[in-house]
Amino acid sequence: MSRVLIPAIIGLVLACGTAKAHEFWIAPEAYQVPKAAPITAHLRNGQEFVGAALPYLPNSYARFEVTQGDMTRAVEGRLGDSPALTFAPEIEGLAIIVLETTDSSLTYDEFEKFSAFTKHKDFQGALPEHAQRGLPETGFKETYARMVKALVAVGDGAGEDREVGLRTEIVAGANPYTDDLSAGLPLRVLFEGAPRADAQLELFAKAPDGTVTITLHRTDAEGRVTVPVAPGHEYFADAVVLLDTGNDDPAAGPVWHSLWAGLSFAVPAER
């Protein structure tokens, strides 16, 4: 790798680390690929479903793999590869791309940013808890990790999404490439394998002309929510968990930890 490229990659890592409040998702170059054709996908970080593509950075991943049927294979690449994922499926059917990042950290120098984050992601009790714990308004740290999935149809695209064991995840209850979605796409939001009841789910929808629409939804008592979808659109669903680290001394380490679950998929224009 050239000495010119290495600083550029480091800059991207630093940019990603300081952009925690932005969404992070897997963006396949094609959500439907022919049998035996490679799957390629970018990892993107940004806002409103528009973001910079990050290269393959293996030290940033706790888990990066693709599951088809009963087969799961690790995603491998070279440092700096872009797209970050190039994967040759061995069979046809629904491919589930899974990426879990290692922890990153953020220091809040302005309380307004933490307040805006808690409001945006609907953590209604976070600010009162922050005060009750005697935490300062500046100089405290939060760690965070991303746990994202993407669904890609290989060949006939047959199959179904499933729980893959992420600490928090979003699971599709129907196959967006083969099933009837006239009543919407059912989703489940989980935390440690259990349903997240009354949780906010943010849905980003990108139309064929590039227009992005963002809507908010809530899960029921079983962590389920059905979201409206339209042919020819690309989607990203996002749900975030905010946890008390158990540490109330900012000098000793992070006081909050957030987990960002995401699921990207598309609905074919024609079936």
Side-chain angles (χ1 to χ4, degrees):
M1 178 171 295
S2 74
R3 294 185 178 181
V4 174
L5 182 56
I6 291 175
I9 292 175
I10 294 173
L12 279 170
V13 175
L14 293 175
C16 182
T18 58
K20 187 272 299 183
H22 295 179
E23 280 66 41
F24 176 90
W25 66 97
I26 302 169
E29 293 189 316
Y31 284 88
Q32 294 175 281
V33 300
K35 181 181 178 181
I39 299 172
T40 56
H42 292 280
L43 306 178
R44 294 195 179 276
N45 184 278
Q47 293 180 297
E48 298 183 356
F49 216 6
V50 177
L54 304 176
Y56 181 79
L57 301 169
N59 290 340
S60 298
Y61 315 141
R63 178 178 174 185
F64 197 4
E65 63 194 28
V66 178
T67 292
Q68 283 184 285
D70 297 328
M71 182 185 303
T72 297
R73 292 166 49 202
V75 172
E76 298 178 349
R78 295 183 302 176
L79 178 67
D81 278 353
S82 185
L85 179 146
T86 299
F87 182 86
E90 297 180 1
I91 58 176
E92 65 179 335
L94 186 68
I96 307 169
I97 306 172
V98 178
L99 174 64
E100 176 183 353
T101 69
T102 55
D103 286 353
S104 296
S105 66
L106 170 71
T107 299
Y108 284 98
D109 295 322
E110 299 177 26
F111 194 66
E112 291 77 9
K113 291 184 177 179
F114 182 68
S115 178
F117 165 57
T118 61
K119 182 178 181 180
H120 179 198
K121 296 303 182 182
D122 193 40
F123 303 130
Q124 297 182 15
L127 296 186
E129 181 180 346
H130 191 90
Q132 184 178 20
R133 292 168 61 192
L135 298 173
E137 293 193 349
T138 60
F140 62 93
K141 290 185 178 181
E142 175 193 338
T143 51
Y144 59 95
R146 316 286 194 159
M147 300 178 180
V148 293
K149 299 162 56 180
L151 304 179
V152 174
V154 179
D156 62 17
E160 59 185 22
D161 190 16
R162 70 198 71 174
E163 297 179 40
V164 297
L166 295 170
R167 192 175 181 193
T168 184
E169 65 179 294
I170 300 171
V171 182
N175 185 324
Y177 308 103
T178 62
D179 293 346
D180 179 7
L181 303 181
S182 57
L185 177 68
L187 301 173
R188 282 189 299 145
V189 181
L190 305 174
F191 174 61
E192 296 183 336
R196 282 193 66 202
D198 194 31
Q200 176 178 288
L201 181 137
E202 192 167 6
L203 184 69
F204 301 80
K206 184 178 293 184
D209 65 1
T211 302
V212 175
T213 302
I214 304 171
T215 53
L216 299 178
H217 307 266
R218 299 204 74 82
T219 63
D220 64 14
E222 297 180 344
R224 301 180 186 275
V225 59
T226 297
V227 297
V229 294
H233 285 58
E234 178 183 358
Y235 292 91
F236 175 66
D238 168 87
V240 185
V241 177
L242 183 64
L243 304 171
D244 175 350
T245 63
N247 169 49
D248 291 342
D249 179 5
V255 299
W256 293 103
H257 182 59
S258 60
L259 303 173
W260 297 59
L263 178 69
S264 48
F265 60 92
V267 177
E270 297 181 357
R271 295 188 185 276

